Structures are given as structure tokens and as C-alpha cells.
Amino acid sequence: GENVEQHPSTLSVQEGDSAVIKCTYSDSASNYFPWYKQELGKRPQLIIDIRSNVGEKKDQRIAVTLNKTAKHFSLHITETQPEDSAVYFCAASKRGSNYQLIWGAGTKLIIKP
Amino acid sequence: DTAVSQTPKYLVTQMGNDKSIKCEQNLGHDTMYWYKQDSKKFLKIMFSYNNKELIINETVPNRFSPKSPDKAHLNLHINSLELGDSAVYFCASSLRGVSSGNTIYFGEGSWLTVV
């Protein structure tokens, strides 16, 4: 079945620098890849997503890239700010299921002042 | 006007007790979920309902029983609580599944502590 691996588990960057979180998936039929952000003590919230017919998508300081051949996708955050500190989850749709995402294990992003 | 609301937010209870968590969404969504997030922050799906019909029932002890009286509500009842059940339980909803790109909206979470 589908498996999503997410790296690194913890990422510490200086404020103002860029952060990159990577995920790989196993099922080539996966076609939808969202990223969720979870601040401490809060609920996960969608920040950006990408579908398999698109290679890159941007929204202000965040962007997601997808490499279908290599079966990996990445979240890029530029000019990091303290409010970017959170746990970020990637996910991939599951073949044959309209109701289930396969989630990565999460990356804790720490922004150092 | 919270989109997905769940109660209670905090719950401390003794081992062996039975407890329920209630969830309601006012987004008009067809699909609702229960997720469990343990101390390692991993998000594990437990159940998914679409229009009151059980769609996903992951490997969860049968002490956990979901109930969807209508498509706007999905409650979770837990019997004979164990220490390992301590976690944050998130209710969530989406318009109609996920594979078409529908966003999952999470509730604020219910922090369950079993002592």
C-alpha cells in the first residue's frame, strides 16, 4: 500500500533563512498532495496542496514542488519568520480510496531568532 | 460559528471508565473523520464516515465505537479506557472525500488523559 516518508523529523533554521521539507511516496497512482501546518496546541490546517498534473505551486512565501518520476514532493518556506514554527505534515491520496490520505510523520520546524 | 466543533476539549478520566467525545460540523460536508494524535504527533486515522455510512475503519480496538446520527455529527465512544488511549483526538470533515482535493477541516481536538 501507499507509504509516505517525511524528512527531516526536526529542522532548525535561522529566522530569515529558507526551510525545505521533503516527502517521498510509494504509489505512483497518488494524485493529490497536501501540506498541513500544526502550531503548538492547535489543530492541523491546510497551507498548500498540489495535484499530480502540476509541477510547482506557490503562495507568497511557501511553495510546493512535485517530481512524479522520482515520487517525491517538497515544501519550501522562504524568509522564515517566528510564526512559521510548527509541525508540518505532508500527505498523499491513497489509490482506490476517496476518503483517506496517507500522512507523513511530521516535521517540527524551529525558527531561531 | 466554529466550522468543526468537538466537546469536551479536555478530559481526564480513570482507567476502565467509558467516555464519549462529540463532534459537529456546520460546513455542509458529507465526510467526517476521527483521527488520533499521540505524543509523537503522528496523525492516525481511526474512522471515516460519508453521509452517515462507515467508510474507513482502521485497525482500532473495538472498545472504540463511532456513531453518526446524521452527516453533520460524528461521535466517538470509548469503553474500558486504557492508559494507552491517552492522546489528542481530532474530529475532521471534508466536502466529499479527499482524492478530489477537498480540504480536511479539523476540530480543535479533545485532549484525553487516562490515569
Side-chain angles (χ1 to χ4, degrees):
Chain A
E2 175 68 287
N3 183 48
V4 175
E5 293 189 359
Q6 182 171 350
H7 299 281
S9 57
T10 305
L11 177 61
S12 183
V13 301
Q14 205 70 39
E15 181 178 348
D17 288 351
S18 295
V20 181
I21 302 170
K22 299 181 180 180
C23 288
T24 60
Y25 60 100
S26 57
D27 190 343
S28 56
S30 292
N31 59 2
Y32 174 62
F33 308 92
W35 286 88
Y36 282 75
K37 174 184 180 183
Q38 185 179 25
E39 296 177 5
L40 186 63
K42 302 289 181 64
R43 74 189 86 188
Q45 291 187 290
L46 178 74
I47 55 171
I48 196 166
D49 57 13
I50 193 167
R51 302 190 192 197
S52 57
N53 58 347
V54 176
E56 184 177 7
K57 184 176 178 181
K58 288 183 179 179
D59 183 3
Q60 299 183 334
R61 294 187 299 107
I62 61 172
V64 57
T65 58
L66 172 65
N67 184 325
K68 287 193 297 182
T69 303
K71 289 189 284 188
H72 66 70
F73 56 111
S74 300
L75 178 71
H76 305 253
I77 306 174
T78 59
E79 300 173 12
T80 53
Q81 299 170 5
E83 55 264 37
D84 295 329
S85 293
V87 177
Y88 291 81
F89 293 95
C90 65
S93 57
K94 182 177 179 180
R95 180 204 290 261
S97 173
N98 185 37
Y99 301 97
Q100 190 168 356
L101 291 175
I102 306 301
W103 295 82
T107 296
K108 183 176 183 179
L109 177 61
I110 300 167
I111 307 301
K112 296 181 292 187
Chain B
D1 59 345
T2 304
V4 182
S5 58
Q6 54 184 109
T7 55
K9 185 167 184 176
Y10 300 103
L11 185 56
V12 181
T13 188
Q14 290 189 324
M15 284 175 53
N17 283 351
D18 303 337
K19 291 293 177 186
S20 293
I21 307 172
K22 295 185 176 182
C23 179
E24 175 182 5
Q25 55 94 3
N26 63 4
L27 297 167
H29 288 170
D30 287 342
T31 311
M32 295 188 73
Y33 313 83
W34 277 110
Y35 278 87
K36 179 181 180 180
Q37 186 173 47
D38 61 21
S39 57
K40 294 183 178 178
K41 300 298 184 185
F42 190 72
L43 279 169
K44 175 181 166 56
I45 189 162
M46 301 173 69
F47 303 103
S48 174
Y49 274 73
N50 189 67
N51 270 321
K52 303 193 298 176
E53 180 185 352
L54 180 64
I55 300 294
I56 295 172
N57 184 354
E58 288 294 293
T59 307
V60 174
N62 57 15
R63 299 182 294 103
F64 291 79
S65 52
K67 187 168 288 186
S68 182
D70 55 61
K71 74 173 193 178
H73 295 84
L74 180 60
N75 304 322
L76 182 66
H77 187 75
I78 315 170
N79 289 326
S80 304
L81 279 157
E82 300 177 357
L83 293 176
D85 297 332
S86 296
V88 183
Y89 292 85
F90 285 102
C91 178
S93 73
S94 65
L95 180 60
R96 200 168 294 111
V98 295
S99 64
S100 56
N102 292 318
T103 302
I104 296 179
Y105 293 86
F106 287 85
E108 291 188 320
S110 294
W111 271 254
L112 173 64
T113 302
V114 182
V115 297

